[in-house]
Amino acid sequence: MDALRPGDPARIGGHRLLGRLGAGGMGVVYLGRTEAGALAAIKVILPEHAGDEDFRTRFRRETEAARQVDSPWAVPVTGADTDSETPWLATEFVPGPTLSEVVARCGPLPTRSVHVLGRLLSRALTAVHGAGLVHRDVKPGNVLLAADGPRLIDFGIARAAEATALTATGLVVGTPGFLPPEQATGAGAGAGPEGDVFSLGCLLAYAATGRPPFGSGAVDALLYRTVHDEPDLAGVDDPALRALLGECLAKDPAARPAAADLDTRIAEDVPGDGASADWLPEDVARMIAERSAAMLALPDIEATVNTSATTPAPAPARRRFLALAAGGAVALGAGTFAAVRLIGDEPDGRSGASPAGRRWVIGVHADLTGAQKAAGRAQERGVRLAVDRFNSRTDKPFTLAVKVLDDGGDPARSVRVAEEFARDRDVLAVIGPTGDAATGAALPAYDEAVLPLLTVSSLQISYPARVNAAFFQASPSYAALSMPIVNRLLLRPDVERLGVLIDRSGGQAAYQAGYATNLMTPSLTTGTTHPRVVPAGTSDLGPVIADLLGHRSDALFYAGDAAGGARAARALAATPFKGPSMAQHTVMRPEFLERAGETAEGWEFIAPFTDAGGVSGEPGVPGAADFVTAHRKRFGAAPAAWSAEAYDVTGLVAQEVAALVGSATKGGAGPTGSPTATPSGGTSSGSTSSGGTPSAGTPSADGRPGRAALVAAIAASRYEGISRTYAFDEERQQLVGRDAHLYRAEGGRYRYLGPAPKPKS
């Protein structure tokens, strides 16, 4: 839970507000307490929606729907006012964590826990359906866990089973990954109680395995798999549970059991009145106990006060409560952030004070312990070197420090990292996250806080819609990278058809890269493609390679992971094929060279990262000598992939902050008398950041630029880094330009060949 903000009300409908539980595009959820001492979760609609009569109608329907549900396993409504100037809805507050939090932190649940979960949630859905309603958003985030059992929450899109939908035709209503096929196809208006049973099956499969049964990633691919693919139930070892999930996840709604039938079919004792949480693993029970114990701090809280930038920080007891009640990463999640460092980044490790004594923070949101830890560590080092360089200036108007938080590559942890950065007022901007899934999960928190976020290694083609446009994709997307791939392989006289091998072992990165390459080929060339998709875990790629060659493919592009790329290289080497072969940059790891051996020789890679003298061991890109020298001096090694890119975007941020500070203090001049100063080693070319207006975000009392002002400055900037020129398009704030880099496997290493060639016209 977060403290109240300056614009938040102190009371709503007889509830004294204690803090923020969360926020979304439609409203804010507060923790409140009645005069009698009862706690409530209070959803308050944002002003911009309160004046929309259609929205009021939907909110009124939500309230009426929730009031009709009578079950101990569904959170009851305790109060509401849908007609006031500020509509609100209060429900009983359950201090337990959500199922999604539990699985993210503690892993999959044991079979008995899943059985109890299924039986009690089926009773909740029976009550929902008995009231003539359909929930339509049964998912792990809408299930709270308490000692005596789960609670189903959030009837925000529930509606009467026979009512006319207020949503547009074809709108997908609900959460992808937990939708039934009939909703995934956009026929949400016709989804009935059977759809809730399908969603419950997805939820139980997630609880049992730790992953959604139809995967994750891009929404369009996820919806396609929901409609066409069989669920992935690997890891569900109990035969009875597996069979039951199979029935719940039937594509045909008529083949699914009713919610009431599930209650009788699941043979598992449920917790009795006042029971302890013995139906859950010990670590989960401990989470629930800690959340409940945190509520004991409430009676000691002083009267609620709205804090502002000039008011004192909360008293220690209040700060402790706020962290505990939220299941805060600092107080409760000892393993939540594996790396938290806040230091001044002078080359000698000391924090050099600026003339004004101001010290602000650049955040690094990275995977430092998961599958992409090498990239995350390289980016952290790049950020530190850029801050070193800025702090070495004698005329610096402020000092920078680096704060590093590790999400381990886990989307749920990524959300908590983003929330921690958003709460820290000294954080000017954040570099990261490292991976696609972690970035998508974190975006809402950064967007709500209007905190600039720049990623150099999350390459998704699209991201969830955002309101405040604080996110910058400072690297070419998979779609942009497909263009140099097609140019390299097909703009040559000996190639007519490209074989595209999409290996699902590579996840969404492989799907998007392979799909974009296949799509771009006829648009950019006169050539054709023969695409093949292979299931994840396929060990023998020989038949797939034979099929590609049998369809006269005279060039090959592999999209997948390093292990799969090695299998493809070995299978291809066993054929007479002599044409060009290329793999996605995600294959470019030591594992590919080790497993492929001699068959790796000659494979090429289009990569979004440059070589600054370390990736291939060769001189690297021009202009990077100082960066490479500084990297070797500080870290004892040459820079790895992604380090130069992180160095560049940090320099961009430092440049724009310095320009804003200079504009505020010198009437438009930058910190050295010119708005084109370059504090971190790059050069500015036509940056318009110093022309930011007060409406874009006003500076704080210590001169720190407002976050919104910095977002506007970055969006308008142009920065010449050592890896590329950085500028962003106005519509999506993606990197302008499709600069990419070419590598080749030679002699057991990756050789940098230079910038990827571009077509002449």
Side-chain angles (χ1 to χ4, degrees):
M1 182 175 72
D2 294 333
L4 295 174
R5 299 181 183 178
D8 288 334
R11 303 183 71 86
I12 285 285
H15 301 83
R16 181 160 64 85
L17 302 188
L18 306 174
R20 280 180 165 228
L21 293 173
M26 298 303 176
V28 180
V29 182
Y30 299 99
L31 176 64
R33 184 171 58 186
T34 67
E35 295 299 331
L39 295 176
I42 306 161
K43 180 190 291 185
V44 179
I45 300 304
L46 294 175
E48 54 264 39
H49 300 299
D52 183 338
E53 192 54 42
D54 286 342
F55 185 87
R56 275 189 180 268
T57 301
R58 289 193 293 272
F59 186 62
R60 192 176 296 115
R61 183 189 67 201
E62 170 189 351
T63 303
E64 293 170 354
R67 285 185 183 278
Q68 296 177 56
V69 178
D70 183 14
S71 170
W73 314 116
V75 173
V77 172
T78 58
D81 189 344
T82 59
D83 297 318
S84 70
E85 183 177 352
T86 306
W88 58 273
L89 168 69
T91 61
E92 178 185 287
F93 177 69
V94 178
T98 64
L99 177 61
S100 54
E101 287 181 83
V102 164
V103 173
R105 288 182 56 182
C106 304
L109 299 180
T111 299
R112 180 179 179 241
S113 299
V114 178
H115 279 151
V116 172
L117 194 66
R119 189 167 193 184
L120 297 184
L121 290 178
S122 72
R123 294 180 182 179
L125 286 177
T126 298
V128 171
H129 301 159
L133 302 172
V134 184
H135 189 286
R136 298 204 298 172
D137 199 20
V138 178
K139 62 181 180 181
N142 278 342
V143 173
L144 299 172
L145 299 185
D148 61 346
R151 302 290 192 278
L152 182 64
I153 64 171
D154 199 352
F155 293 83
I157 57 176
R159 67 178 184 87
E162 303 303 325
T164 300
L166 294 174
T167 52
T169 302
L171 178 67
V172 176
V173 180
T175 302
F178 297 90
L179 290 173
E182 56 268 30
Q183 279 179 251
T185 56
E194 302 87 354
D196 284 346
V197 172
F198 186 96
S199 299
L200 178 61
C202 292
L203 179 148
L204 296 177
Y206 170 84
T209 66
R211 62 185 185 280
F214 297 100
S216 58
V219 171
D220 54 351
L222 190 52
L223 297 179
Y224 180 90
R225 292 195 297 269
T226 300
V227 174
H228 298 286
D229 290 2
E230 290 303 310
D232 176 11
L233 299 179
V236 182
D237 298 325
D238 181 73
L241 179 59
R242 191 182 183 95
L244 189 65
L245 293 179
E247 291 184 44
C248 292
L249 297 174
K251 304 296 185 188
D252 180 5
R256 302 170 200 153
D261 294 335
L262 293 177
D263 183 17
T264 59
R265 291 184 55 181
I266 299 176
E268 187 63 63
D269 292 335
V270 297
D273 293 338
S276 65
D278 61 355
W279 65 285
L280 290 167
E282 183 178 347
D283 51 353
V284 178
R286 189 180 304 113
M287 282 181 66
I288 294 172
E290 288 171 340
R291 299 286 177 94
S292 299
M295 297 301 101
L296 297 176
L298 279 169
D300 298 325
I301 296 176
E302 299 298 328
T304 303
V305 176
N306 291 337
T307 60
S308 68
T310 59
T311 57
R318 177 168 175 76
R319 288 200 304 271
R320 178 177 179 274
F321 162 70
L322 292 178
L324 286 170
V330 177
L332 291 182
T336 301
F337 305 140
V340 180
R341 294 186 295 282
L342 179 58
I343 63 172
D345 281 285
E346 289 292 324
D348 62 1
R350 295 189 301 270
S351 176
S354 66
R358 295 175 290 199
R359 181 173 179 269
W360 301 324
V361 177
I362 300 291
V364 180
H365 180 160
D367 176 1
L368 300 178
T369 53
Q372 293 181 279
K373 61 185 178 183
R377 184 67 66 192
Q379 290 174 32
E380 178 196 348
R381 290 179 170 183
V383 173
R384 292 191 181 282
L385 287 179
V387 168
D388 281 352
R389 184 167 184 123
F390 180 85
N391 286 343
S392 69
R393 292 178 50 187
T394 58
D395 64 341
K396 57 183 178 292
F398 51 85
T399 300
L400 288 176
V402 179
K403 178 176 180 178
V404 184
L405 297 179
D406 173 25
D407 65 20
D410 177 72
R413 284 174 61 177
S414 180
V415 172
R416 295 194 289 275
V417 166
E419 291 172 344
E420 168 67 13
F421 275 131
R423 285 192 292 264
D424 189 338
R425 295 182 61 257
D426 286 333
V427 175
L428 298 171
V430 175
I431 311 303
T434 312
D436 296 332
T439 300
L443 280 183
Y446 286 115
D447 189 60
E448 183 194 352
V450 201
L451 177 57
L453 177 70
L454 299 91
T455 181
V456 298
S457 57
S458 179
L459 313 182
Q460 282 190 182
I461 295 173
S462 63
Y463 294 87
R466 299 172 300 282
V467 176
N468 294 309
F471 171 60
F472 298 88
Q473 188 178 21
S475 187
S477 69
Y478 296 117
L481 288 175
S482 71
M483 297 181 187
I485 290 170
V486 172
N487 292 335
R488 178 70 173 175
L489 291 175
L490 282 156
L491 295 184
R492 48 200 303 165
D494 56 337
V495 174
E496 294 289 339
R497 174 169 293 184
L498 174 63
V500 180
L501 178 55
I502 303 173
D503 191 339
R504 284 196 171 177
S505 64
Q508 280 301 305
Y511 171 83
Q512 293 191 26
Y515 175 82
T517 300
N518 184 61
L519 184 68
M520 289 294 179
T521 296
S523 301
L524 299 174
T525 74
T526 58
T528 59
T529 63
H530 180 64
R532 281 294 305 270
V533 179
V534 298
T538 301
S539 58
D540 183 9
L541 294 182
V544 183
I545 296 294
D547 176 78
L548 293 174
L549 301 183
H551 284 81
R552 304 187 306 281
S553 297
D554 34 30
L556 175 69
F557 173 65
Y558 171 84
D561 61 5
R567 288 193 292 270
R570 291 196 303 270
L572 192 64
T575 73
F577 179 81
K578 299 299 181 184
S581 51
M582 179 175 283
Q584 188 180 11
H585 72 276
T586 54
V587 175
M588 244 184 83
R589 297 184 178 183
E591 183 182 3
F592 172 75
L593 298 176
E594 294 167 3
R595 294 193 179 192
E598 294 181 356
T599 67
E601 195 75 9
W603 276 70
E604 292 186 346
F605 309 85
I606 295 292
F609 48 79
T610 190
D611 181 44
V615 178
S616 68
E618 298 186 354
V621 297
D626 290 345
F627 167 72
V628 175
T629 299
H631 196 286
R632 288 184 178 276
K633 180 179 179 181
R634 176 153 188 187
F635 302 113
W642 303 113
S643 188
E645 287 74 17
Y647 176 85
D648 282 345
V649 296
T650 306
L652 185 159
V653 170
Q655 166 189 284
E656 299 308 319
V657 175
L660 287 171
V661 171
S663 178
T665 59
K666 298 185 179 182
T672 59
S674 169
T676 58
T678 56
S680 292
T683 58
S684 172
S685 175
S687 170
T688 58
S689 64
S690 59
T693 62
S695 63
T698 55
S700 64
D702 62 356
R704 180 180 63 251
R707 287 176 172 178
L710 183 54
V711 167
I714 293 171
S717 68
R718 180 179 177 84
Y719 184 81
E720 298 292 339
I722 60 175
S723 59
R724 59 168 47 89
T725 298
Y726 289 86
F728 302 95
D729 67 67
E730 294 182 2
E731 181 179 353
R732 301 176 67 185
Q733 297 189 176
Q734 289 182 317
L735 188 70
V736 174
R738 300 183 177 91
D739 295 329
H741 301 272
L742 182 63
Y743 295 81
R744 180 185 295 140
E746 290 184 0
R749 64 185 181 91
Y750 296 111
R751 179 188 172 199
Y752 179 57
L753 302 182
K758 299 178 182 179
K760 295 180 180 179
S761 61

